[in-house]
Amino acid sequence: MKRVKRAFRYRFCPTDAQAAELSRTFGCVRKVYNMALDARTEAWTRQERVDYNQTSTMLTAWKRTEELAYLGEVSSVPLQQALRHLQVAFTNFFGKRSRYPRFKSRKKSRRSAEYTTSGFRFREGKLTLAKMAEPLDIVWSRPLPEGAKPSTVTVSQDAAGRWFVSMLCDDMITPAPPTRGAVAIDLGITSLVTLSTGEKITNPRHERKDRARLAKAQRELSRKAKGDGANRAKARRKVARVHARIADRRRDFLHKLTTRLVRENQTVVIEDLTVGNMVKNHTLARAVTDAAWTGMRTMLEYKSAWYGRELVVVDRWFPSSKLCGVCGTIRAKLPLAVRTWTCDCGTVHDRDVNAAKNILAAGLAVSVCGAGVRPQREPSRTGQSAMKQKPPRREP
Ligand SMILES: [Zn+2]
């Protein structure tokens, strides 16, 4: 058995007072985050850096001003956490792992507040947040582990108006039996993923129907006149509800898939699709796939750590689809519409399966020999590093 941190997420029904308190808190979290970002950006243009401690001092000063005194009315814990999140965002930016942090928008950003132990009480299975008299009315869809005590609690509300509480707890995991298997995953649009074993996993069966429903709801929303407030709000909620259902189903599906892949294999190889590398493509299918991919990578990362497996990340510019896995020839062009192709050496390739096999070969080379091994580079992309390795997060 192995001790790991695990998040348990539940829905809850707030009282009117709790809903009001949380809405106020979400607003303050956003305000503090944006003001701190503003201060750090302003310093950045002067080639100076503002760190977490300095923003924390600023927060104290803001609360003392008349126009921002309301920040002192909500729990200070989520506000401090917002500053910590901003610190992480900057650390990722300086480490070239993500873009420059962006402002939280009232409409588009996730409404959430994070509480550490000083901001909540957990007793006899009841969770009470700071500034609240009553515990939250949580729908316990599954039990917390025996004797679990949350170390962090995150409360959020999605666009469909549903309330969630996520509790980070210590949990025990049974290690997966040792295996020598290795698998690579190629991300697709027609199939959600293709495995190097040749297996193609399509989008969950509800997805097509859900998308049709979403398109219909969006058409209805765009038909509502701008002035017609009530009907427009109703149409917008409808769109949000369909979105929420799609997201829920996809999360369930990805959990099952990633658990299976990690349990069955010692090494899992994926392509790097970090935000910085992402190609701008605004089609709906692409946006949906990118979101799924980000979620899937996160799951693969922590599940590999849980089960003592290795996750290898191969650079995206590795020419996985155009490289013949048999003879090593790289094709100059391979339009996206071409699903199968024949190499000069006579091998007939399924585009996605070939790509997955190449990703596997590249990943295993990295895994065995370290990052010094480079596969052939795509001629048009010389100068780009062809591969990079994310060190596997293995615990002793
Ligand atoms: Zn060939």
Side-chain angles (χ1 to χ4, degrees):
M1 297 289 266
K2 185 177 170 190
R3 186 181 294 276
V4 298
K5 288 268 182 212
R6 190 169 194 170
F8 293 84
R9 187 167 171 266
Y10 305 95
R11 287 185 68 170
F12 71 98
C13 314
T15 62
D16 289 348
Q18 288 171 339
E21 179 64 33
L22 287 171
S23 291
R24 217 168 20 243
T25 306
F26 294 158
C28 292
V29 163
R30 191 181 62 243
K31 180 76 181 168
V32 165
Y33 186 94
N34 286 346
M35 285 179 49
L37 174 53
D38 206 27
R40 294 179 78 139
T41 304
E42 205 260 326
W44 174 246
T45 57
R46 292 192 314 261
Q47 316 245 315
E48 283 171 32
R49 282 194 191 186
V50 167
D51 65 13
Y52 163 76
N53 287 327
Q54 286 164 286
T55 55
S56 186
T57 308
M58 286 176 192
L59 174 58
T60 311
W62 294 334
K63 286 179 181 173
R64 292 208 186 103
T65 65
E66 202 177 320
E67 67 269 31
L68 293 170
Y70 67 89
L71 294 176
E73 289 166 17
V74 302
S75 166
S76 64
V77 178
L79 306 186
Q80 291 292 342
Q81 288 306 100
L83 296 179
R84 288 201 178 89
H85 293 161
L86 184 61
Q87 178 62 41
V88 171
F90 269 96
T91 305
N92 287 337
F93 168 68
F94 291 131
K96 297 193 163 58
R97 288 182 297 276
S98 65
R99 279 187 289 207
Y100 194 82
R102 282 183 294 181
F103 289 101
K104 285 187 189 295
S105 97
R106 207 161 71 86
K107 278 196 174 156
K108 287 185 186 155
S109 300
R110 197 166 94 99
R111 292 160 55 78
S112 73
E114 189 178 286
Y115 296 79
T116 49
T117 43
S118 57
F120 65 85
R121 198 171 60 234
F122 186 75
R123 247 176 240 155
E124 287 157 11
K126 289 196 189 307
L127 177 71
T128 312
L129 299 177
K131 305 269 179 188
M132 288 185 192
E134 292 169 76
L136 297 182
D137 181 10
I138 296 172
V139 183
W140 295 99
S141 45
R142 58 176 168 158
L144 278 181
E146 191 86 31
K149 280 202 183 77
S151 55
T152 308
V153 167
T154 307
V155 179
S156 61
Q157 188 185 26
D158 70 9
R162 303 178 304 172
W163 295 86
F164 294 94
V165 57
S166 172
M167 294 178 234
L168 196 65
C169 300
D170 276 333
D171 194 13
M172 299 303 278
I173 295 257
T174 316
T179 163
R180 297 176 63 84
V183 72
I185 306 168
D186 178 60
L187 168 78
I189 293 175
T190 45
S191 305
L192 180 63
V193 296
T194 302
L195 304 182
S196 51
T197 54
E199 184 183 351
K200 292 195 171 192
I201 298 159
T202 51
N203 288 315
R205 61 198 168 89
H206 304 290
E207 188 107 355
R208 188 180 293 266
K209 218 182 241 175
D210 279 342
R211 275 200 211 174
R213 247 181 232 133
L214 181 61
K216 182 164 170 258
Q218 275 167 336
R219 272 198 308 277
E220 266 162 31
L221 174 61
S222 65
R223 265 207 304 273
K224 301 290 175 213
K226 273 251 181 314
D228 187 3
N231 274 330
R232 198 174 152 75
K234 211 171 129 190
R236 194 181 297 121
R237 270 199 303 277
K238 175 97 197 265
V239 169
R241 270 203 307 275
V242 181
H243 262 303
R245 190 171 49 215
I246 293 175
D248 285 354
R249 280 185 181 150
R250 184 173 309 120
R251 189 173 22 244
D252 284 352
F253 173 79
L254 288 179
H255 266 303
K256 286 191 188 113
L257 176 64
T258 52
T259 298
R260 188 195 116 196
L261 292 175
V262 168
R263 289 191 69 98
E264 286 175 359
N265 296 282
Q266 181 57 38
T267 308
V268 179
V269 187
I270 58 170
E271 273 187 299
D272 188 15
L273 280 179
T274 51
V275 190
N277 277 350
M278 229 176 252
V279 175
K280 291 243 181 321
N281 185 330
H282 295 291
T283 64
L284 177 68
R286 189 73 233 186
V288 167
T289 316
D290 287 347
W293 190 239
T294 308
M296 188 164 166
R297 175 169 174 172
T298 307
M299 290 176 191
L300 286 171
E301 277 172 359
Y302 69 73
K303 288 178 186 179
S304 301
W306 284 0
Y307 294 115
R309 306 304 205 208
E310 185 181 31
L311 180 69
V312 181
V313 182
V314 176
D315 188 86
R316 184 168 190 197
W317 300 117
F318 173 68
S320 52
S321 351
K322 296 178 198 169
L323 174 72
C324 170
V326 176
C327 71
T329 307
I330 299 177
R331 271 178 82 100
K333 268 193 201 148
L334 192 63
L336 206 61
V338 178
R339 306 316 303 171
T340 59
W341 57 283
T342 309
C343 179
D344 294 338
C345 74
T347 315
V348 180
H349 291 294
D350 174 290
R351 180 199 185 97
D352 299 334
V353 175
N354 177 54
K357 282 182 177 164
N358 285 330
I359 294 169
L360 178 66
L364 290 179
V366 171
S367 168
V368 172
C369 312
V373 175
R374 297 246 187 279
Q376 280 177 283
R377 291 180 182 194
E378 196 165 19
S380 62
R381 285 222 160 253
T382 46
Q384 283 267 357
S385 80
M387 296 187 65
K388 70 182 162 209
Q389 183 191 17
K390 188 177 164 54
R393 294 194 306 180
R394 224 184 295 178
E395 283 172 31

